[in-house]
Amino acid sequence: MPVPFEALLPLGVIAGMFAAAGAGIGALQRNFTLGKACHTQRMNLDQWDRAMMARNERLTGHTYGQSDAVVAPEEFSRSTPVLIRKLSSF
């Protein structure tokens, strides 16, 4: 049984829309992760991973950015992640 050629046009449009949507999402994810990986969500993070992500963000300004500089920038020494709370006096 032959396939009518009229059915191929909508099939091509649908396939083209799926391809365009996939390419758009892939481009957004690569832009978000600075071109590193296509998956953006990090899973099973422990305290060490969170600390390294905070360190990377303070060093480079982006969670996914990494720096290979031996010496940290001057402003990195003043941006401490330690929260200081005020002790109440009795």
Side-chain angles (χ1 to χ4, degrees):
M1 183 166 148
V3 178
F5 68 92
E6 293 93 5
L8 296 178
L9 183 63
L11 183 64
V13 169
I14 291 171
M17 289 295 122
F18 274 115
I25 287 179
L28 285 174
Q29 288 178 344
R30 276 191 304 278
N31 187 25
F32 179 71
T33 60
L34 302 176
K36 290 187 186 256
C38 286
H39 59 286
T40 59
Q41 185 179 13
R42 293 186 178 180
M43 303 168 85
N44 299 327
L45 296 176
D46 58 358
Q47 189 174 3
W48 176 262
D49 293 331
R50 288 188 186 93
M52 289 297 105
M53 286 170 64
R55 173 192 165 271
N56 290 342
E57 188 170 9
R58 290 187 302 144
L59 275 174
T60 63
H62 198 277
T63 305
Y64 288 92
Q66 295 177 352
S67 175
D68 61 349
V70 178
V71 179
E74 182 63 33
E75 54 272 353
F76 184 75
S77 63
R78 291 189 294 271
S79 62
T80 177
V82 178
L83 298 176
I84 300 172
R85 63 179 184 179
K86 195 173 186 181
L87 296 175
S88 61
S89 60
F90 290 100

